[in-house]
Amino acid sequence: DAFKDTCKSKLDSPLEFASFNFYWEDVPIFLLRELIRHRVGTSFAEQSLRFAVLDENIVDKFDPNFAKSVDTPEKKKEYFDTLRLLVKQYKNLIDMGIEVQDARNVLGVWVPTHITTGFTYRALRDILSLRQSSQAHSCWQDAVKQIKALVKEVDPILEEELKDTCAM
């Protein structure tokens, strides 16, 4: 009851004492940029594309559902052929002797990467209140479902308080 009362009030600083760490694998950079905008109560350690060399199979890790307007076989072929071309150009630059940290500039924000994050419960609650609405990008909707399932394993009441801002 005290926890639920704290969640209802604006005096929610006690929620900063609980924290969660998540390892995110193969998430698009655009999702991470949105995530990193939430600076208070968070910490991040992202895979550096200055040192990690990507290969062509990275395109297969990009979920087509994250590009909703790519909705026909023709569009899908063109879209993914373009992504493959970008990776091929990136690899060609490296093969020419251009450093990885310079070659990475031809890659887009679709590139899947890895990140480890730490959130206070208060920060996690604030982030998910904005990112689980029906207007959120499908990539975020997928991430929210996974996070809420993991939090529910820890405690169902903690998961219950991770509400969409529109539902509050």
Side-chain angles (χ1 to χ4, degrees):
D1 290 339
F3 174 75
K4 286 187 174 195
D5 283 344
T6 301
C7 287
K8 288 180 197 171
S9 79
K10 295 295 180 192
L11 303 172
D12 59 358
S13 57
L15 302 179
E16 294 174 11
F17 290 95
S19 62
F20 290 86
N21 295 313
F22 298 102
Y23 176 71
W24 306 58
E25 187 173 47
D26 296 330
V27 294
I29 290 174
F30 70 80
L31 182 139
L32 298 183
R33 295 302 158 256
E34 292 175 359
L35 180 65
I36 291 170
R37 288 185 198 143
H38 302 277
R39 294 176 293 277
V40 177
T42 62
S43 57
F44 307 97
E46 183 181 352
Q47 172 191 30
S48 174
L49 291 180
R50 288 180 61 206
F51 308 108
V53 178
L54 304 177
D55 58 27
E56 287 83 5
N57 75 1
I58 199 77
V59 174
D60 299 328
K61 294 182 178 184
F62 184 76
D63 188 335
N65 294 319
F66 297 160
K68 292 218 184 264
S69 67
V70 181
D71 55 1
T72 67
E74 297 81 24
K75 288 180 185 178
K76 206 168 274 194
K77 180 182 181 331
E78 182 66 25
Y79 189 84
F80 282 91
D81 284 350
T82 301
L83 297 182
R84 283 184 185 79
L85 179 61
L86 290 170
V87 176
K88 183 178 180 187
Q89 290 173 325
Y90 159 83
K91 294 288 282 186
N92 288 341
L93 293 173
I94 293 169
D95 291 345
M96 289 176 56
I98 293 175
E99 293 183 16
V100 173
Q101 67 181 355
D102 296 325
R104 70 182 171 160
N105 292 323
V106 302
L107 299 171
V109 296
W110 62 271
V111 173
T113 188
H114 310 316
I115 190 169
T116 301
T117 58
F119 304 104
T120 66
Y121 180 77
R122 180 183 185 183
L124 184 63
R125 189 176 71 134
D126 291 347
I127 291 167
L128 295 190
S129 74
L130 300 173
R131 301 294 178 185
Q132 62 182 306
S133 78
S134 60
Q135 295 177 341
H137 192 281
S138 57
C139 184
W140 264 110
Q141 292 173 356
D142 183 48
V144 167
K145 283 183 210 166
Q146 292 181 53
I147 290 170
K148 288 181 77 170
L150 291 168
V151 171
K152 189 174 187 173
E153 287 179 28
V154 173
D155 190 294
I157 294 174
L158 292 175
E159 184 270 337
E160 181 182 309
E161 290 299 324
L162 299 175
K163 299 176 182 170
D164 179 346
T165 192
C166 297
M168 294 179 179

